[in-house]
Amino acid sequence: MRTGVVAAVALAGGLLTSSPAGATTVTGGSVATTVTLSAESALARPRNGTILYDRISGGQGRLKIKNGLSTDGVVALVRGKTKAISIYVRAKSTATINDVRDGTYRIYFTTGTRFNVSKGRFTRNAVYQRFNDKLKYRTTATRIPGWSLTLNPVRGGNAGTSRVNPKDFPA
């Protein structure tokens, strides 16, 4: 978005010059504006419930995710070898995917800090895991499937998880 502003001002007849420390100065007539462009724009923290990837949606299934951790998380549904949907769930928040298609999904999740949107990964303190059991969605005339997951350990919970190599995480 900031790049678009710089380009629009530059195309409006301004003179584009570089300044030190990652700042760009755009001069148009007698007005000069300095816009700082940095890698931080790629690290903007998504809003809770932001769908980061959606390749297979349009169904009636529902997945509710509660993140009771002190770090943000990303949950990815994978059908076969294809990443279907991923969603951003902020710390101490709940988010829902409302349009999961019928099928069997493996659920991966990562938690950490400083999420990089363009890379689809946390850049600090990242942990990569998957749930051991798969989720099955089968819609019938009398039943619309829905599941609830919790990313933090729950006393009496019934979902085991396993660590995943970061290279194997569906980004």
Side-chain angles (χ1 to χ4, degrees), residues 99-148:
D99 56 355
V100 180
R101 274 193 196 172
D102 284 358
T104 302
Y105 296 88
R106 178 156 308 275
I107 309 298
Y108 290 82
F109 65 99
T110 179
T111 57
T113 57
R114 296 189 56 121
F115 187 74
N116 184 308
V117 175
S118 62
K119 292 182 179 181
R121 297 194 181 265
F122 291 100
T123 60
R124 296 218 175 132
N125 307 314
V127 175
Y128 299 90
Q129 299 180 71
R130 71 172 170 80
F131 284 94
N132 295 335
D133 295 331
K134 296 178 180 178
L135 298 183
K136 293 181 183 180
Y137 285 85
R138 299 281 182 257
T139 303
T140 66
T142 59
R143 182 179 171 275
I144 296 176
W147 292 95
S148 292

Side-chain angles (χ1 to χ4, degrees), residues 6-57:
V6 171
V9 173
L11 291 174
L15 173 65
L16 186 62
T17 60
S18 294
S19 298
T24 301
T25 301
V26 179
T27 307
S30 61
V31 178
T33 305
T34 301
V35 179
T36 303
L37 301 175
S38 68
E40 291 298 318
S41 60
L43 298 175
R45 185 178 180 217
R47 292 192 340 216
N48 187 57
T50 298
I51 300 294
L52 301 172
Y53 183 87
D54 186 359
R55 182 170 176 166
I56 302 175
S57 65

Side-chain angles (χ1 to χ4, degrees), residues 89-102:
V89 186
R90 285 191 171 189
K92 306 291 184 190
S93 297
T94 300
T96 303
I97 302 172
N98 288 311
D99 56 355
V100 180
R101 274 193 196 172
D102 284 358

Side-chain angles (χ1 to χ4, degrees), residues 53 55-56 77-85 105:
Y53 183 87
R55 182 170 176 166
I56 302 175
L77 284 71
V78 175
R79 191 166 85 177
K81 294 186 184 229
T82 305
K83 181 167 83 167
I85 303 169
Y105 296 88

